[in-house]
Structure formats: C-alpha cells, structure tokens
Amino acid sequence: MDLLTFNAARCDLCEECIRSCPFQALTMEASGIRVGETCRMCGVCIKCCPQQAIRFEQKAGTVNKKEWRDILIYAEQEECGIHPVAYELIGEAGKLAGRVGYHVNCILLGGPGTTENAEKLLSYGVHNIYVYEHEGLSAFKTDCYTDAFADCIASTKPSVVLIGATALGRSLAPRLSTRFHTGLTADCTQLEMRDDSDLVQIRPAFGGNIMAQILISQSRPQFATVRYKVMDRAEKTPYPTGNIIHCEVTDAMVRSRITVTERSTIRRTKSIEEEEVLVVAGRGVKSDKDLGMLRELAALLGGQLCFTRPMVEAGYGDSTHQIGLSGRTVKPKLIITCGVSGAIQFTSCMNGSECIVAINSDPEAQIFSVANYCIVDDLYEVIPSLTAQIRAGKEA
C-alpha cells in the first residue's frame, strides 16, 4: 500500500523531505526517493517540501502474495517465562499452516535470557525462532519493540502475523499494522485459512449478535490478535527440528523516545484465565453484602469470584474479574454461574469450560442452553446449602 506519491516533474531533488523525516524513512536512490518500512505517514515531508511534490495517495495497492509466506507468532515473555497464549497461537497456527504448506515461525524480543526461553518453543514444532536479544529490550518500550518486530517482518515477509491479545500485544499489534499499511483484526475467536492464503478472521461484532468474517485480501501481512484461552494449546513433538536464529539488534532499534523515570515490580496474582474453578456473580445477586457467600464458595473450591458486565458497571467488581466480550475469556475445569442470564456476550467467552453449573430461578434463562448442570432455584437457597455440603466434606 503506497500512500506517499512523488511528482517527478515538480521534485528538484533538494532532499529536504529526507532531512525532515523524523523516522529516517526516506532515502535517495538511483531511481529516486524511496519510502522505507519505517514510514509512519506523519505528513512532515509533505509540509516541508518546498515544491509541493509529495502527496498522500489514499488508495490501497496490491502485493504479490507468493512473496509472503509462513505464519509468524509473537511469543511474549514474562518474568516467569513465555506467556501461555504463545503456545495456543502455535497450536492454531499449525492447523492453518498445514492447509497451504506454510511453516510456523516465532519471534522473541527481550533482554538476557531470551535465548533460553526460545529453546522451550523448539519442542512444539516451530520451524524458525527469530531472537532479538539485547539489554535495551529488557523492559517493554513500544517504539523499540515495534522497530525490532518490523525488522523481522520486513526480512522474512510472513503472510500471517498472530499476536496474543494481552495488554502488551494490544499495544504492539496496531503499531505494526500501521507500519506495514495493512489491516488488523482484534480479539479473534476463530481463524480459517483459504487455499489462496487469505486468512478468515472471525470475531464477535455488534455486541456479539453476529460473528463477523474479516479478510485482508489485497495486502500483507495479515495481522490478528487472539485472546488467551480461546485456542487449544500446541502439543509437544517428539523430535524437534526447529532452528534458533539470532538477529542483529542495532543501536537505532533500542534508541527510545520513552524515558523511564521509575520502575517498580507489581506482585503478580493468578488471573481468572488461569484458574481451574470460577464462581460468577450475575444480576441475580441483590447486594454487595450478598457477594460474601459467593466468595466463600469460591474460596472453598480453591477458585476466584468473577462478574458479568452489568455487575462490574454497578461497581461490584473490576474489569480484571469480568467475563465477556469486554472482559476476559476463560476456560476453567469448573464454572458456577449464580443469577446469570446468559447473554451471548457472556457465554461466548466461557462456553469452552469443561463443566458449567448454572443456578437461576428463571427456567427460560439462556444460560441453561450451554450448561452441563442446570439448577432452577433461588441462589439464596442453593449457595448456602452447597457451601455447607462442601465444607462438611472437607472436614470429613
């Protein structure tokens, strides 16, 4: 997608645009001025051109799809290792790649220890792992990570780039898609590969009332973010054959315009996506005081208390404990919903749970359509009785 157009008849090759570009995206070559991958479409060159020889061409171009191959996965790192969403992306990418004969590759960005984390991925059938390891990448800085990631994409030309829809991934993905003048579909719940390498990116739309199928058919790469706990985790392969490729980290990549003034470690708590047992409070819970009995049940089962969107909006919980399209997607072994009606915006983000127990006094509640065990009764009668039985069983 070439958005900058130069008028050769007007341009006198004064190079003012090259000097003024804050991202060093313009270079003078034998064929004229070339626009590099670092162009951010900021428009500074257009304003600075004394001959008014540069303009935006707001029209998408086409690419040769055969030049863009394979699937690139961003393997996000945490203090404790690799974020588990990376293993889910690898598993899904393996299914997609098999349809068109692609390889599954990964990219890791970080400080010392990144190579050790990369070695963990070899057992999951990954072909190439591109490692950008440098002290300057130890802490996440959006501009540095974007530059390094863009370098990998420009050199390897992947057809598809998959990124976990984490806080870091949601910051990185749109910057990369803008850098390459292509599209991005966020929070995908399903992915399908066509024979022509077009990726069908499926996600809920209009409040979850429809499932939109989105295609990026004219440009490459195809960017998509996927939520944690949506895809199946990759299985280990008995005979790994992948390669770890160390990529050069230049001074320009780690030169950041972000200044870190203070740094503190936040104590990591177990997120609801990682829990095996969840108890969910819906609008059937009448007051904040009544949440105590649900918290007690969750504690006895060794899980956490979660909320639907209306409960969070009413101030009963926070977004980190919200299940739904505007919250989190979960897949625990056991989930107990209490007074939850079961709107599709909620059920689409928890229906992958192994066992769903629904408690609701309305026999027509939508939640019963996805539940394994349906209890049509007043939760104020069921929860205390259930809690007492569990406690008695533990004491015995």
Side-chain angles (χ1 to χ4, degrees), residues 340-387:
V340 176
S341 62
I344 191 172
Q345 292 89 339
F346 172 82
T347 58
S348 63
C349 296
M350 51 72 72
N351 56 13
S353 306
E354 288 186 24
C355 181
I356 303 172
V357 178
I359 305 171
N360 198 303
S361 58
D362 179 10
E364 302 299 324
Q366 296 179 55
I367 192 65
F368 291 141
S369 64
V370 298
N372 300 106
Y373 298 94
C374 308
I375 303 175
V376 183
D377 204 342
D378 185 354
L379 68 90
Y380 288 91
E381 297 291 335
V382 176
I383 298 301
S385 176
L386 181 59
T387 302

Side-chain angles (χ1 to χ4, degrees), residues 215-231:
L215 291 170
I216 304 171
S217 59
Q218 300 298 320
S219 59
R220 292 292 186 269
Q222 304 166 89
F223 285 94
T225 62
V226 181
R227 285 192 182 191
Y228 179 37
K229 288 289 185 180
V230 170
M231 307 298 184

Side-chain angles (χ1 to χ4, degrees), residues 96 105 115 117 141 153 169 226 235 245 262 283 335 344 355 357 390 394-395:
L96 300 173
N105 303 319
T115 300
N117 280 335
K141 292 183 179 178
I153 293 174
V226 181
E235 299 291 338
I245 301 173
E262 184 179 349
R283 282 185 289 187
I335 185 168
I344 191 172
C355 181
V357 178
I390 295 173
K394 284 181 173 289
E395 292 173 354

